[in-house]
Each structure stands twice: as C-alpha cells, then as structure tokens.
Amino acid sequence: MLRFYFHHTPNPMKVGLLLEELGLDYETIPVDILKGDQHEPAFRALNPNGKVPVIVDGDVTVFDSNAIILYLAEKHRRFLPVEEKERGAALSWLFFVATGLSPFSGQAVHFLRHAPETLPYAQNRYLKETQRHYQVIEDHLATNAYLAGNEYSIADMAFWGWANMAPVVFGDEGLAAYPRAAKLHAEITARPAAQRANLIKDRFQLKTGFDAETHRVMFPQNH
C-alpha cells in the first residue's frame, strides 16, 4: 500500500486531495513538523531536504509535492490533460504555483507572523508578490474555467493547497479581492475528495501553536 507522509500544511494537502480524487488506498503517516519529526534520520532517508510530503509507492520514493502529484497523475493517467496544448498549460500553471505562489505565500507568512523582528521591506516584498501571483490567476480565470483551460487538473489542486492558506496571508478577507480565484477555491473545496482530504488531519493529534521550540525545529538554520 502507498505510504503518505503527511502534515496538514499546504503542500501535503494538495497530495491528499489527489490521492482522494484518484480513490487510491494509502496509509497516512503523520510527521509532526512542529515537533521536529522531519529531522529524524528515518524521515531524512526518504527526503534529505527534511520536508513533507513524501510518498513511498512500492519501491518508488517521491518527495516534493509537485513531483508527487505529477508522478501520480502520469502513473494513473488522470488529472493531467493528454492533448498537448492543454497539457502544456497544466504543466505551466502547476509550476507557476510551485515556483511562485507557493514560496511567496510561505515567505509572506514567515515575515508577517514568525520572524523574530519586524522587517517592513521583507513583509511588503513578499505580501505584494503574493498579491501579484493571485492577480495573475484572477486575470487568467476571466477566460478559463480552470487553470489549464476547461479541464480540472493537478494545477488546480496545487492552487487549492495554497489558497487554503489565503486567510493566514491576507487576514479575514482571504481571497475577497480575487473573486474568480475564490470561486475556484470554493468549487474545489466542495468536491467530495477535498472534503475527505480535509478530514485527514482529524485522525491524528498533532502539535498546535508556534512556540520557541517550534521556531527552532522549523527554522534550524536560523539558530
């Protein structure tokens, strides 16, 4: 059975969504990143970068959430368009999220909420870039039902994982400034697979709260 190393953060959540969309049998193995489980030697043997998620599919180990969802979509021949034009679009938007929306959102949260000192330039830089990326998506959705065009794909799942975090970045307004992006996020959230993915975290007792020890294990290079 496929093993899924999980924490309820944006990158593992998009993998959880795809696993549920595919209807695969899998074993969920929690990795409590707020306690530092990601630094344990057994986990580092799976992902030397010490990040979730990871899957082990038979004798195949895949880390990095975008590599995982691309691997699974190709293996099971679902949620990745076959036609070249739409496939190219799906890959483009998948990596737009991977290299743009994802890291800028993460850095915005870090400097707005977790940095030990207030750095206005860094806060402004990452918040504005996160806003810019959402605006690119908003503009694209004016003429497209989904990121790859007319077909729901792994690009949308990647978007969903990070759009879940919009209230953490933007506060209570969330995606209100981006109504088309908000509509897509709501549509995906309403899917039965997304509802099941959102319940994965309820199976485990994972640490909540961000104390000094969590800061140390999450950002060890800063200590």
Side-chain angles (χ1 to χ4, degrees), residues 4-8 28-54 204-208 213-220:
F4 172 36
Y5 292 79
F6 167 86
H7 190 272
H8 55 281
T28 306
I29 301 171
V31 180
D32 199 333
I33 62 174
L34 301 189
K35 290 183 177 179
D37 289 356
Q38 68 273 32
H39 303 305
E40 293 296 327
F43 184 77
R44 286 291 184 122
L46 300 174
N47 182 0
N49 195 34
K51 304 286 184 180
V52 286
V54 174
F204 310 105
Q205 291 292 326
L206 298 174
K207 182 178 180 179
T208 59
E213 178 62 15
T214 294
H215 198 281
R216 186 187 68 79
V217 299
M218 288 290 290
F219 314 115

Short mmCIF file of all heavy atoms in Angstrom, two decimals, residues 4-8 28-54 204-208 213-220:
data_model
loop_
_atom_site.label_atom_id
_atom_site.label_comp_id
_atom_site.label_asym_id
_atom_site.label_seq_id
_atom_site.Cartn_x
_atom_site.Cartn_y
_atom_site.Cartn_z
N PHE A 4 1.92 7.65 2.69
CA PHE A 4 1.83 9.10 2.50
C PHE A 4 2.26 9.78 3.80
O PHE A 4 1.59 9.67 4.83
CB PHE A 4 0.38 9.45 2.14
CG PHE A 4 0.06 10.92 2.09
CD1 PHE A 4 0.96 11.86 1.64
CD2 PHE A 4 -1.21 11.36 2.49
CE1 PHE A 4 0.63 13.21 1.58
CE2 PHE A 4 -1.55 12.69 2.43
CZ PHE A 4 -0.63 13.62 1.99
N TYR A 5 3.39 10.46 3.75
CA TYR A 5 3.92 11.16 4.92
C TYR A 5 3.35 12.57 4.92
O TYR A 5 3.59 13.35 4.00
CB TYR A 5 5.45 11.15 4.88
CG TYR A 5 6.03 9.77 5.08
CD1 TYR A 5 6.05 8.85 4.04
CD2 TYR A 5 6.50 9.36 6.33
CE1 TYR A 5 6.56 7.57 4.22
CE2 TYR A 5 7.01 8.07 6.52
CZ TYR A 5 7.03 7.19 5.47
OH TYR A 5 7.52 5.92 5.65
N PHE A 6 2.64 12.90 6.00
CA PHE A 6 1.67 13.98 5.96
C PHE A 6 1.79 14.93 7.15
O PHE A 6 2.07 14.53 8.28
CB PHE A 6 0.26 13.36 5.96
CG PHE A 6 -0.87 14.32 6.23
CD1 PHE A 6 -1.43 15.05 5.20
CD2 PHE A 6 -1.38 14.48 7.52
CE1 PHE A 6 -2.48 15.93 5.44
CE2 PHE A 6 -2.42 15.36 7.77
CZ PHE A 6 -2.97 16.09 6.73
N HIS A 7 1.55 16.20 6.87
CA HIS A 7 1.18 17.20 7.87
C HIS A 7 0.15 18.10 7.20
O HIS A 7 0.18 18.27 5.98
CB HIS A 7 2.40 18.02 8.33
CG HIS A 7 2.11 18.90 9.51
ND1 HIS A 7 1.63 20.18 9.39
CD2 HIS A 7 2.24 18.67 10.84
CE1 HIS A 7 1.48 20.70 10.59
NE2 HIS A 7 1.82 19.82 11.49
N HIS A 8 -0.75 18.69 7.97
CA HIS A 8 -1.85 19.43 7.35
C HIS A 8 -1.43 20.86 6.98
O HIS A 8 -2.02 21.85 7.38
CB HIS A 8 -3.08 19.45 8.26
CG HIS A 8 -2.83 19.98 9.65
ND1 HIS A 8 -2.25 19.23 10.63
CD2 HIS A 8 -3.09 21.18 10.20
CE1 HIS A 8 -2.16 19.94 11.74
NE2 HIS A 8 -2.65 21.15 11.50
N THR A 28 -1.60 6.75 5.78
CA THR A 28 -1.12 8.08 6.14
C THR A 28 -0.21 7.97 7.36
O THR A 28 -0.59 7.41 8.39
CB THR A 28 -2.29 9.02 6.46
OG1 THR A 28 -3.21 9.03 5.37
CG2 THR A 28 -1.79 10.43 6.73
N ILE A 29 0.98 8.50 7.22
CA ILE A 29 1.95 8.51 8.31
C ILE A 29 2.18 9.96 8.72
O ILE A 29 2.73 10.75 7.95
CB ILE A 29 3.26 7.85 7.88
CG1 ILE A 29 3.00 6.41 7.44
CG2 ILE A 29 4.29 7.90 9.02
CD1 ILE A 29 4.17 5.73 6.80
N PRO A 30 1.72 10.36 9.91
CA PRO A 30 1.87 11.76 10.31
C PRO A 30 3.32 12.11 10.60
O PRO A 30 4.07 11.31 11.16
CB PRO A 30 1.01 11.86 11.57
CG PRO A 30 1.04 10.48 12.14
CD PRO A 30 1.08 9.55 10.95
N VAL A 31 3.70 13.30 10.20
CA VAL A 31 5.02 13.84 10.50
C VAL A 31 4.77 15.17 11.21
O VAL A 31 4.34 16.14 10.58
CB VAL A 31 5.86 14.05 9.22
CG1 VAL A 31 7.23 14.63 9.56
CG2 VAL A 31 6.00 12.75 8.44
N ASP A 32 4.99 15.20 12.50
CA ASP A 32 4.68 16.40 13.28
C ASP A 32 5.82 17.40 13.13
O ASP A 32 6.78 17.41 13.91
CB ASP A 32 4.45 16.06 14.75
CG ASP A 32 3.68 17.16 15.47
OD1 ASP A 32 3.79 18.33 15.04
OD2 ASP A 32 2.98 16.87 16.46
N ILE A 33 5.71 18.25 12.11
CA ILE A 33 6.80 19.17 11.80
C ILE A 33 6.98 20.24 12.88
O ILE A 33 8.05 20.82 13.00
CB ILE A 33 6.60 19.83 10.42
CG1 ILE A 33 5.33 20.67 10.37
CG2 ILE A 33 6.60 18.76 9.33
CD1 ILE A 33 5.16 21.45 9.08
N LEU A 34 5.94 20.49 13.68
CA LEU A 34 6.07 21.47 14.76
C LEU A 34 6.87 20.91 15.94
O LEU A 34 7.32 21.67 16.80
CB LEU A 34 4.71 21.96 15.23
CG LEU A 34 3.82 22.63 14.16
CD1 LEU A 34 2.59 23.25 14.80
CD2 LEU A 34 4.60 23.68 13.37
N LYS A 35 7.03 19.59 15.97
CA LYS A 35 7.87 18.95 16.98
C LYS A 35 9.23 18.56 16.44
O LYS A 35 10.09 18.12 17.21
CB LYS A 35 7.16 17.71 17.54
CG LYS A 35 5.95 18.00 18.40
CD LYS A 35 5.39 16.69 18.95
CE LYS A 35 4.21 16.96 19.87
NZ LYS A 35 3.63 15.68 20.40
N GLY A 36 9.43 18.64 15.13
CA GLY A 36 10.72 18.32 14.54
C GLY A 36 10.85 16.92 13.99
O GLY A 36 11.97 16.47 13.71
N ASP A 37 9.71 16.22 13.76
CA ASP A 37 9.79 14.85 13.22
C ASP A 37 10.50 14.81 11.87
O ASP A 37 11.09 13.78 11.51
CB ASP A 37 8.39 14.27 13.05
CG ASP A 37 7.70 13.95 14.35
OD1 ASP A 37 8.32 14.10 15.42
OD2 ASP A 37 6.51 13.55 14.30
N GLN A 38 10.46 15.90 11.14
CA GLN A 38 11.05 15.93 9.80
C GLN A 38 12.57 15.84 9.82
O GLN A 38 13.21 15.61 8.79
CB GLN A 38 10.62 17.20 9.06
CG GLN A 38 11.17 18.50 9.62
CD GLN A 38 10.30 19.10 10.73
OE1 GLN A 38 9.67 18.37 11.48
NE2 GLN A 38 10.29 20.41 10.80
N HIS A 39 13.17 16.00 11.01
CA HIS A 39 14.63 15.92 11.13
C HIS A 39 15.11 14.55 11.59
O HIS A 39 16.32 14.33 11.69
CB HIS A 39 15.13 16.99 12.10
CG HIS A 39 14.72 18.39 11.72
ND1 HIS A 39 15.00 18.92 10.49
CD2 HIS A 39 14.04 19.34 12.41
CE1 HIS A 39 14.51 20.16 10.43
NE2 HIS A 39 13.93 20.43 11.58
N GLU A 40 14.18 13.64 11.85
CA GLU A 40 14.56 12.30 12.28
C GLU A 40 15.28 11.57 11.14
O GLU A 40 14.91 11.71 9.97
CB GLU A 40 13.33 11.51 12.72
CG GLU A 40 12.67 12.04 13.97
CD GLU A 40 13.56 11.93 15.19
OE1 GLU A 40 14.36 10.96 15.26
OE2 GLU A 40 13.49 12.83 16.06
N PRO A 41 16.32 10.78 11.47
CA PRO A 41 17.08 10.10 10.42
C PRO A 41 16.22 9.24 9.49
O PRO A 41 16.47 9.19 8.28
CB PRO A 41 18.08 9.25 11.21
CG PRO A 41 18.27 10.00 12.50
CD PRO A 41 16.92 10.60 12.81
N ALA A 42 15.21 8.57 10.04
CA ALA A 42 14.37 7.71 9.20
C ALA A 42 13.63 8.52 8.15
O ALA A 42 13.47 8.08 7.01
CB ALA A 42 13.38 6.92 10.06
N PHE A 43 13.18 9.72 8.53
CA PHE A 43 12.50 10.55 7.55
C PHE A 43 13.49 11.18 6.58
O PHE A 43 13.22 11.27 5.37
CB PHE A 43 11.66 11.65 8.23
CG PHE A 43 10.86 12.45 7.26
CD1 PHE A 43 9.70 11.94 6.71
CD2 PHE A 43 11.28 13.71 6.86
CE1 PHE A 43 8.96 12.66 5.77
CE2 PHE A 43 10.56 14.45 5.93
CZ PHE A 43 9.39 13.92 5.39
N ARG A 44 14.65 11.60 7.08
CA ARG A 44 15.66 12.18 6.19
C ARG A 44 16.15 11.18 5.16
O ARG A 44 16.61 11.56 4.08
CB ARG A 44 16.83 12.70 7.01
CG ARG A 44 16.56 13.99 7.78
CD ARG A 44 16.40 15.15 6.83
NE ARG A 44 16.23 16.41 7.54
CZ ARG A 44 17.01 17.47 7.41
NH1 ARG A 44 18.02 17.45 6.56
NH2 ARG A 44 16.77 18.57 8.08
N ALA A 45 16.05 9.90 5.48
CA ALA A 45 16.42 8.88 4.50
C ALA A 45 15.45 8.88 3.32
O ALA A 45 15.82 8.50 2.20
CB ALA A 45 16.46 7.50 5.15
N LEU A 46 14.22 9.31 3.56
CA LEU A 46 13.22 9.40 2.49
C LEU A 46 13.33 10.73 1.74
O LEU A 46 13.18 10.78 0.53
CB LEU A 46 11.81 9.25 3.07
CG LEU A 46 11.51 7.94 3.78
CD1 LEU A 46 10.13 8.00 4.42
CD2 LEU A 46 11.59 6.77 2.81
N ASN A 47 13.53 11.79 2.49
CA ASN A 47 13.69 13.11 1.88
C ASN A 47 14.85 13.83 2.56
O ASN A 47 14.70 14.36 3.66
CB ASN A 47 12.41 13.95 2.02
CG ASN A 47 12.55 15.31 1.33
OD1 ASN A 47 13.60 15.63 0.76
ND2 ASN A 47 11.51 16.10 1.40
N PRO A 48 16.00 13.88 1.92
CA PRO A 48 17.16 14.55 2.52
C PRO A 48 16.92 16.01 2.83
O PRO A 48 17.63 16.60 3.65
CB PRO A 48 18.25 14.37 1.46
CG PRO A 48 17.82 13.20 0.65
CD PRO A 48 16.33 13.25 0.63
N ASN A 49 15.91 16.60 2.18
CA ASN A 49 15.59 18.01 2.41
C ASN A 49 14.75 18.21 3.67
O ASN A 49 14.49 19.35 4.07
CB ASN A 49 14.85 18.59 1.20
CG ASN A 49 14.80 20.10 1.20
OD1 ASN A 49 15.73 20.77 1.66
ND2 ASN A 49 13.72 20.66 0.69
N GLY A 50 14.28 17.14 4.27
CA GLY A 50 13.55 17.25 5.53
C GLY A 50 12.24 17.99 5.42
O GLY A 50 11.89 18.78 6.32
N LYS A 51 11.48 17.76 4.36
CA LYS A 51 10.20 18.43 4.16
C LYS A 51 9.12 17.40 3.86
O LYS A 51 9.37 16.38 3.22
CB LYS A 51 10.28 19.42 2.99
CG LYS A 51 11.37 20.48 3.09
CD LYS A 51 11.02 21.56 4.10
CE LYS A 51 12.08 22.66 4.10
NZ LYS A 51 11.76 23.71 5.09
N VAL A 52 7.89 17.70 4.29
CA VAL A 52 6.74 16.92 3.86
C VAL A 52 6.12 17.62 2.66
O VAL A 52 6.29 18.83 2.50
CB VAL A 52 5.70 16.80 5.00
CG1 VAL A 52 6.16 15.84 6.07
CG2 VAL A 52 5.35 18.16 5.60
N PRO A 53 5.44 16.83 1.80
CA PRO A 53 5.13 15.42 1.89
C PRO A 53 6.17 14.55 1.21
O PRO A 53 7.04 15.04 0.47
CB PRO A 53 3.81 15.33 1.14
CG PRO A 53 3.97 16.35 0.04
CD PRO A 53 4.73 17.49 0.68
N VAL A 54 6.03 13.26 1.47
CA VAL A 54 6.76 12.21 0.76
C VAL A 54 5.76 11.08 0.52
O VAL A 54 4.87 10.85 1.34
CB VAL A 54 7.94 11.68 1.59
CG1 VAL A 54 8.61 10.49 0.90
CG2 VAL A 54 8.96 12.77 1.88
N PHE A 204 -5.26 12.38 13.66
CA PHE A 204 -4.02 12.43 14.43
C PHE A 204 -4.04 13.59 15.42
O PHE A 204 -4.73 14.59 15.22
CB PHE A 204 -2.82 12.59 13.48
CG PHE A 204 -2.82 11.62 12.34
CD1 PHE A 204 -3.16 12.03 11.05
CD2 PHE A 204 -2.50 10.29 12.55
CE1 PHE A 204 -3.18 11.13 10.00
CE2 PHE A 204 -2.52 9.38 11.50
CZ PHE A 204 -2.87 9.81 10.22
N GLN A 205 -3.26 13.44 16.47
CA GLN A 205 -3.06 14.51 17.44
C GLN A 205 -1.70 15.15 17.14
O GLN A 205 -0.67 14.65 17.56
CB GLN A 205 -3.09 13.96 18.87
CG GLN A 205 -4.46 13.46 19.31
CD GLN A 205 -5.47 14.59 19.46
OE1 GLN A 205 -5.12 15.71 19.84
NE2 GLN A 205 -6.73 14.29 19.15
N LEU A 206 -1.73 16.23 16.39
CA LEU A 206 -0.51 16.92 16.03
C LEU A 206 -0.41 18.22 16.83
O LEU A 206 -1.42 18.82 17.20
CB LEU A 206 -0.49 17.22 14.53
CG LEU A 206 -0.52 15.98 13.62
CD1 LEU A 206 -0.65 16.40 12.16
CD2 LEU A 206 0.74 15.14 13.80
N LYS A 207 0.79 18.64 17.05
CA LYS A 207 1.02 19.85 17.85
C LYS A 207 0.38 21.06 17.19
O LYS A 207 0.42 21.22 15.97
CB LYS A 207 2.53 20.08 18.02
CG LYS A 207 2.88 21.29 18.88
CD LYS A 207 4.39 21.43 19.05
CE LYS A 207 4.73 22.64 19.90
NZ LYS A 207 6.20 22.78 20.09
N THR A 208 -0.19 21.91 18.01
CA THR A 208 -0.69 23.20 17.55
C THR A 208 0.06 24.29 18.31
O THR A 208 0.63 24.05 19.36
CB THR A 208 -2.20 23.34 17.79
OG1 THR A 208 -2.46 23.18 19.19
CG2 THR A 208 -2.98 22.28 17.02
N GLU A 213 10.32 26.44 20.77
CA GLU A 213 10.86 25.17 20.32
C GLU A 213 10.43 24.87 18.89
O GLU A 213 11.22 24.37 18.07
CB GLU A 213 10.40 24.04 21.25
CG GLU A 213 10.87 22.64 20.84
CD GLU A 213 12.40 22.50 20.82
OE1 GLU A 213 13.10 23.36 21.39
OE2 GLU A 213 12.87 21.52 20.22
N THR A 214 9.19 25.19 18.56
CA THR A 214 8.73 25.02 17.19
C THR A 214 9.52 25.90 16.24
O THR A 214 9.91 25.47 15.15
CB THR A 214 7.23 25.35 17.10
OG1 THR A 214 6.50 24.38 17.85
CG2 THR A 214 6.75 25.31 15.65
N HIS A 215 9.77 27.13 16.64
CA HIS A 215 10.56 28.03 15.80
C HIS A 215 11.95 27.43 15.54
O HIS A 215 12.47 27.50 14.44
CB HIS A 215 10.69 29.40 16.47
CG HIS A 215 11.10 30.50 15.54
ND1 HIS A 215 12.41 30.67 15.14
CD2 HIS A 215 10.38 31.47 14.91
CE1 HIS A 215 12.48 31.71 14.33
NE2 HIS A 215 11.26 32.21 14.16
N ARG A 216 12.51 26.81 16.56
CA ARG A 216 13.85 26.23 16.42
C ARG A 216 13.84 25.05 15.46
O ARG A 216 14.74 24.94 14.60
CB ARG A 216 14.39 25.78 17.78
CG ARG A 216 15.85 25.30 17.75
CD ARG A 216 16.27 24.69 19.07
NE ARG A 216 15.58 23.44 19.30
CZ ARG A 216 15.92 22.29 18.74
NH1 ARG A 216 16.95 22.23 17.88
NH2 ARG A 216 15.26 21.18 19.01
N VAL A 217 12.82 24.18 15.55
CA VAL A 217 12.83 22.99 14.69
C VAL A 217 12.35 23.31 13.28
O VAL A 217 12.72 22.62 12.33
CB VAL A 217 12.00 21.83 15.30
CG1 VAL A 217 12.58 21.42 16.64
CG2 VAL A 217 10.53 22.19 15.43
N MET A 218 11.54 24.35 13.15
CA MET A 218 11.08 24.74 11.81
C MET A 218 12.15 25.50 11.04
O MET A 218 12.23 25.39 9.81
CB MET A 218 9.81 25.58 11.92
CG MET A 218 8.58 24.80 12.34
SD MET A 218 7.98 23.68 11.04
CE MET A 218 7.34 24.87 9.85
N PHE A 219 12.94 26.30 11.75
CA PHE A 219 13.94 27.13 11.10
C PHE A 219 15.30 26.92 11.76
O PHE A 219 15.91 27.87 12.29
CB PHE A 219 13.53 28.61 11.18
CG PHE A 219 12.09 28.86 10.83
CD1 PHE A 219 11.21 29.35 11.78
CD2 PHE A 219 11.60 28.59 9.56
CE1 PHE A 219 9.88 29.58 11.47
CE2 PHE A 219 10.27 28.83 9.24
CZ PHE A 219 9.41 29.32 10.20
N PRO A 220 15.81 25.69 11.74
CA PRO A 220 17.05 25.41 12.50
C PRO A 220 18.24 26.19 11.98
O PRO A 220 19.16 26.49 12.74
CB PRO A 220 17.23 23.90 12.29
CG PRO A 220 16.47 23.57 11.04
CD PRO A 220 15.30 24.50 11.05
#
